[in-house]
Each structure stands twice: as structure tokens, then as C-alpha cells.
Amino acid sequence: MPHVDPAHLVELALGNDVTHDDVGALQHLAACGRCREELHLMTRVVMAARGVEEPDLPSAPPAHVWQRITQGLSEPDEPTSPAPADEGRHPHTASATPHRDRPRTHGRRTAGAALGLLAGAAAVRWWRKR
């Protein structure tokens, strides 16, 4: 007997209307620990998402955060010159290039993190409206 389709498990976890297709799925769940555990985990996620309240949602960051992100994205990357070869150093050791000569990636990481937070907040808000 094949495992229950993950999309079907999601529907069961959400508690959507039971159809005639669910009888076979429920019989499989009674016999299959793997699918039963997957349904249990999905049900926990659904319960946690339904329990989200307004204070749980992330708040908008202060204006200075967006200014730093914009500044970091608008600054051109500084060209780096290759580090001088050190004959006494092992080729796999870390570069001795000073921090100020390394390319700027902090702004991009910050922007990526901010975009990830915004996407997560949008997903939670969308979920709550459903």
C-alpha cells in the first residue's frame, strides 16, 4: 500500500472536510507509523500557526535599519587585490588580507536576512487571513 500523499496529509492536518478518499488514507495511517508521525508533525504546525497572535508577529524595523540596508546595497564592492604569496605559509591557510580590503558582503547578508523576515511575516499574515 503506498504512503499517503503529503498534500493529503496537509488537508487532514488542516481538518478540511473528510471525503471518501480519506477512508483509505485513514486505514493506512492506522497501520503506518511513518505516515502517522508525519500527520502528527503537520498537525502540530497547524496548531502552532493557528495560535499566532498579533504580538507574535515581527514588527517593522526602525528607519535606521532600512537606511543601512539601502546604503549597503548601493555601495559598490571594493576591488580586492590578491594577497601576496607567502612561501612559508600553507596554501590552505586563511588569507592575511586586512578586513578593510575584503569585499563588502555584510550589507548583502543584512538585506537577505531582512527580506527573509519580511517574507516570513507576509506568510504568517496571509495564513491568518485564511
Side-chain angles (χ1 to χ4, degrees), residues 9 34 41 117 122 125:
L9 287 174
R34 176 179 158 194
L41 293 174
L117 284 172
R125 184 161 286 181

Side-chain angles (χ1 to χ4, degrees), residues 4 18-19 24 32-33 47 50 53 56 72 85 92 106 109 116 120-121 126:
V4 179
V18 176
T19 65
C32 180
M47 297 297 288
R50 287 182 176 160
E53 295 181 4
D56 298 328
H92 297 292
H106 178 71
R109 283 192 302 248
W126 174 79

Side-chain angles (χ1 to χ4, degrees), residues 35-56:
C35 289
R36 199 170 39 251
E37 178 64 20
E38 190 71 24
L39 177 62
H40 174 72
L41 293 174
M42 287 184 187
T43 304
R44 287 182 61 200
V45 169
V46 168
M47 297 297 288
R50 287 182 176 160
V52 171
E53 295 181 4
E54 191 69 33
D56 298 328

Side-chain angles (χ1 to χ4, degrees), residues 60-74:
H64 68 85
V65 172
W66 289 115
Q67 291 168 354
R68 293 279 312 265
I69 291 171
T70 305
Q71 178 187 10
L73 291 174
S74 64

Side-chain angles (χ1 to χ4, degrees), residues 81-120:
S81 58
D86 231 0
E87 295 174 22
R89 241 184 18 201
H90 190 274
H92 297 292
T93 57
S95 169
T97 306
H99 177 72
R100 68 181 179 281
D101 292 339
R102 293 184 185 151
R104 299 179 140 245
T105 57
H106 178 71
R108 287 193 178 113
R109 283 192 302 248
T110 304
L115 289 175
L117 284 172
L118 287 174

